[in-house]
Amino acid sequence: QVQLVESGGGLVQAGGSLRLSCAASGRTFGSSGMGWFRQAPGKEREFVAGISWGGSSTIYADSVKGRFTISRDNAKNTAYLQMNSLKPEDTAVYYCAQNTNGFGSTSQKWYDYWGQGTQVTVSS
């Protein structure tokens, strides 16, 4: 059973940066797509970014394109989300997820495993 643990969240001012990490257990990480999702209070969980198993293909939500960068280090079984130029609207609990089918889909239904989430709060 895969376990995912997010870290790196915190409180930042608007315009600041954070780098989230997602550490995965097991040996399936290198063949799995990874995604980042977020959920703000009172809102549904939404897609943020996805990356294919080899890291060559990425996809981003329009709301974060140009500001966020998803990456992965398969040797470390870790995925990352670099968040720059943060806005108060980015405030949410951020979740990483693993898709054993190998691609970083925008659809939540493709992801088999989910982390517990890490809080990101952006102040004005």
Side-chain angles (χ1 to χ4, degrees):
Q1 185 87 345
V2 171
Q3 294 187 67
L4 306 175
V5 180
E6 302 96 336
S7 62
L11 174 64
V12 297
Q13 295 182 352
S17 298
L18 283 175
R19 191 190 194 197
L20 306 183
S21 297
C22 175
S25 66
R27 60 186 181 91
T28 60
F29 181 84
S31 59
S32 300
M34 296 296 296
W36 286 96
F37 294 78
R38 67 187 182 186
Q39 187 167 24
K43 297 183 179 180
E44 295 184 351
R45 185 177 297 172
E46 65 175 351
F47 170 79
V48 176
I51 188 167
S52 61
W53 67 271
S56 61
S57 180
T58 58
I59 188 168
Y60 298 91
D62 288 342
S63 60
V64 306
K65 193 174 300 182
R67 299 188 297 120
F68 291 10
T69 302
I70 187 171
S71 61
R72 65 192 298 159
D73 186 340
N74 287 354
K76 296 182 177 181
N77 271 27
T78 303
Y80 305 94
L81 185 67
Q82 178 67 46
M83 305 185 294
N84 298 326
S85 301
L86 283 162
K87 306 174 181 179
E89 308 92 88
D90 296 317
T91 295
V93 176
Y94 283 71
Y95 301 89
C96 67
Q98 183 170 311
N99 170 22
T100 56
N101 291 283
F103 51 90
S105 176
T106 61
S107 177
Q108 296 184 48
K109 68 179 183 180
W110 284 105
Y111 293 91
D112 308 292
Y113 304 100
W114 294 80
Q116 293 296 116
T118 185
Q119 177 71 47
V120 172
T121 302
V122 184
S123 62
S124 300

